[in-house]
Amino acid sequence: MEQYKHLSFPTEYEKALERVNAIDPIKYAKTRNFINGQITYLSPYITRGVISTKQVMDKILEKQYPYPAIEKIIQELAWREFFQRVWQSKGLQIWDDLKQDQQEVVHHQMITSIQKANTGIESIDFAINGLYEKGYMHNHSRMYLASIACNIGKAHWIESSRWMYYHLLDGDIASNNCSWQWVAGAFSSKKYYCNQENVNKYTFSKQQNTFLDKPYEQLVDLPIPDALQETTVLDLTTNLPKSNTPNIDTELPTLIYNSYNLDPIWRKLEKVNRVLLLEPSHFNRYPVSDKVIEFIIDLSKNIEGIQVYTGEIADIENLYKTNNTWENQKIISKEHPAFAYYPGIKDQRDWMFPEVNGYYPSFFGFWKKAERSFRKLLK
């Protein structure tokens, strides 16, 4: 259980690029489901827009691996784009059960033992403590935890997903919400179950005689275990730094960065104002922890000349209007469903498969088209 001991997420841009360059797609495919597998640890940088999925794909292609060797890692990157397209298409409906209502829901609260890392499943409790300490959890552990909360504990997915998003350095609403719904059967054809044997295999634990230590067919009808009975009401708040009004040259455009766009090379050579905008309205709706805010601000330091401002987009707009220099082209951002209300120009993000857009009700349909596009890149 030492896999998180030395885990860190440095905020220097060069360190993120080093991780991109160090990807071994063959080892990734073979070991990714194991808690100590050779995964990339790139998700916080991709989520925060420091690097793009396309950058990662291009670096992998540059090394000229044969298609079978890279299929799995490209497919996993495609999951992220798939979830983003769902969010683009569904907007605020990302907070609703997407395909069908989650079945057998007993309550819409947080399970206390999960919040307190006291479920009795040792590797899960360890992963929760790792989430609190490092702001990260292995994807397989996330699936296990969601299955325990939603399918064994019979909680609706939404509060548990809000709690996890709050703590994740790679907290992405699309990936987080859709993944929780996939496990809970609200965005998939069936619920995902894990048992103790499976947990032991991939986390290298040897625990027995837990509420998960049963064949899969028995888990489906299992009464809620005592360890998952108690619930609590979440109180999630964001502490944003205080800041002065940014110093804006209103004769120049202003590039708006945010918690999902911290790209150091975006329009890098242009003479513009650069502002990391931390909107209280956004974080009141989607709260995150102090650790996440610190990570976002530290990542922004890769962007030369950036000013951190706690305020609303309307404040930036009003600076131009006050000086009678307002034009719609004066505010520039990157397209993102969390910030669709920004005025001005919206640059497109760097997609791996820009032609595969719109809503797909399943990853299979999305990947079928994306894979055709990808194979063309190999020719």
Side-chain angles (χ1 to χ4, degrees):
M1 294 293 188
E2 296 293 314
Q3 65 271 20
Y4 289 134
K5 187 174 181 181
H6 302 294
L7 178 62
S8 65
F9 293 97
T11 54
E12 298 87 355
Y13 183 54
E14 293 74 17
K15 297 291 186 182
L17 294 180
E18 285 175 10
R19 290 192 178 187
V20 174
N21 194 51
I23 293 171
D24 185 330
I26 298 172
K27 289 183 179 178
Y28 174 89
K30 290 180 178 179
T31 67
R32 57 178 291 275
N33 284 330
F34 290 91
I35 203 72
N36 66 345
Q38 189 147 338
I39 55 178
T40 67
Y41 295 109
L42 284 172
S43 57
Y45 308 107
I46 295 174
T47 290
R48 302 298 164 199
V50 177
I51 58 175
S52 67
T53 51
K54 186 176 185 302
Q55 270 180 281
V56 179
M57 181 183 73
D58 288 346
K59 177 57 69 173
I60 293 169
L61 288 173
E62 187 181 293
K63 297 183 178 182
Q64 298 185 330
Y65 290 98
Y67 178 72
I70 60 177
E71 180 181 16
K72 176 50 66 176
I73 194 167
I74 298 300
Q75 192 176 63
E76 292 304 311
L77 289 168
W79 270 99
R80 182 173 290 271
E81 291 208 353
F82 165 63
F83 288 145
Q84 286 294 314
R85 295 303 192 184
V86 171
W87 193 8
Q88 275 186 331
S89 300
K90 295 296 184 179
L92 290 176
Q93 287 179 286
I94 198 87
W95 294 97
D96 299 329
D97 293 358
L98 283 167
K99 292 182 75 171
Q100 59 264 332
D101 292 343
Q102 180 184 333
Q103 298 300 303
E104 300 180 283
V105 172
V106 172
H107 61 81
H108 285 65
Q109 294 182 336
M110 182 71 193
I111 295 173
T112 305
S113 63
I114 292 178
Q115 186 183 36
K116 293 184 176 181
N118 191 28
T119 67
I121 310 298
E122 292 171 357
S123 57
I124 297 303
D125 294 339
F126 181 88
I128 295 168
N129 283 321
L131 173 66
Y132 291 150
E133 182 182 349
K134 302 289 188 177
Y136 183 81
M137 184 182 288
H138 188 281
N139 188 61
H140 220 158
S141 295
R142 299 185 201 196
M143 291 172 62
Y144 292 152
L145 184 56
S147 183
I148 290 169
C150 299
N151 303 336
I152 306 298
K154 302 191 188 314
H156 190 267
W157 62 270
I158 195 165
E159 285 301 277
S160 300
S161 74
R162 288 181 64 241
W163 161 80
M164 183 171 281
Y165 177 82
Y166 182 81
H167 293 286
L168 286 170
L169 297 183
D170 65 0
D172 170 67
I173 288 171
S175 294
N176 195 54
N177 286 23
C178 290
S179 295
W180 275 85
Q181 292 197 52
W182 186 88
V183 170
F187 190 48
S188 58
S189 57
K190 62 180 181 179
K191 297 183 178 186
Y192 166 80
Y193 284 90
C194 62
N195 67 6
Q196 190 66 53
E197 181 183 11
N198 188 269
V199 172
N200 287 347
K201 175 181 177 180
Y202 289 103
T203 66
F204 305 102
S205 58
K206 297 180 180 179
Q207 199 174 9
Q208 295 179 325
N209 302 317
T210 69
F211 60 76
L212 285 182
D213 198 8
K214 294 175 173 58
Y216 285 109
E217 58 270 16
Q218 292 183 22
L219 290 175
V220 176
D221 299 317
L222 186 73
I224 299 175
D226 290 343
L228 306 179
Q229 289 279 355
E230 185 181 342
T231 63
T232 188
V233 177
L234 286 175
D235 180 19
L236 304 176
T237 57
T238 306
N239 298 309
L240 295 174
K242 294 181 180 179
S243 66
N244 297 320
T245 302
N247 182 21
I248 298 294
D249 181 347
T250 57
E251 297 299 323
L252 298 174
T254 296
L255 267 59
I256 301 295
Y257 299 78
N258 52 52
S259 56
Y260 286 126
N261 173 26
L262 295 167
D263 180 358
I265 60 174
W266 177 44
R267 295 183 179 241
K268 185 176 181 179
L269 300 180
E270 296 185 21
K271 188 176 181 181
V272 293
N273 307 290
R274 301 178 190 272
V275 174
L276 168 57
L277 184 63
L278 303 175
E279 292 182 290
S281 60
H282 173 82
F283 291 104
N284 286 339
R285 177 176 285 180
Y286 312 119
V288 297
S289 69
D290 292 352
K291 189 184 297 291
V292 172
I293 291 297
E294 181 183 3
F295 185 65
I296 290 166
I297 292 173
D298 285 348
L299 285 173
S300 76
K301 294 174 184 177
N302 293 299
I303 302 164
E304 187 176 354
I306 198 162
Q307 301 177 69
V308 179
Y309 176 55
T310 298
E312 302 294 330
I313 188 67
D315 301 338
I316 307 296
E317 194 174 356
N318 287 336
L319 290 175
Y320 286 98
K321 291 179 177 178
T322 299
N323 290 306
N324 296 315
T325 54
W326 170 246
E327 299 173 12
N328 204 39
Q329 293 79 16
K330 283 294 178 72
I331 290 180
I332 305 172
S333 61
K334 280 194 182 184
E335 177 278 325
H336 198 282
F339 305 102
Y341 54 87
Y342 282 179
I345 296 170
K346 291 184 173 66
D347 288 351
Q348 282 298 306
R349 288 177 276 170
D350 291 328
W351 301 91
M352 291 195 300
F353 310 114
E355 67 282 2
V356 188
N357 50 48
Y359 177 69
Y360 291 81
S362 72
F363 177 73
F364 176 77
F366 177 88
W367 175 244
K368 194 174 179 180
K369 289 193 174 182
E371 186 182 26
R372 285 201 296 267
S373 295
F374 182 66
R375 284 183 176 276
K376 290 178 183 178
L377 296 175
L378 298 173
K379 292 179 181 179

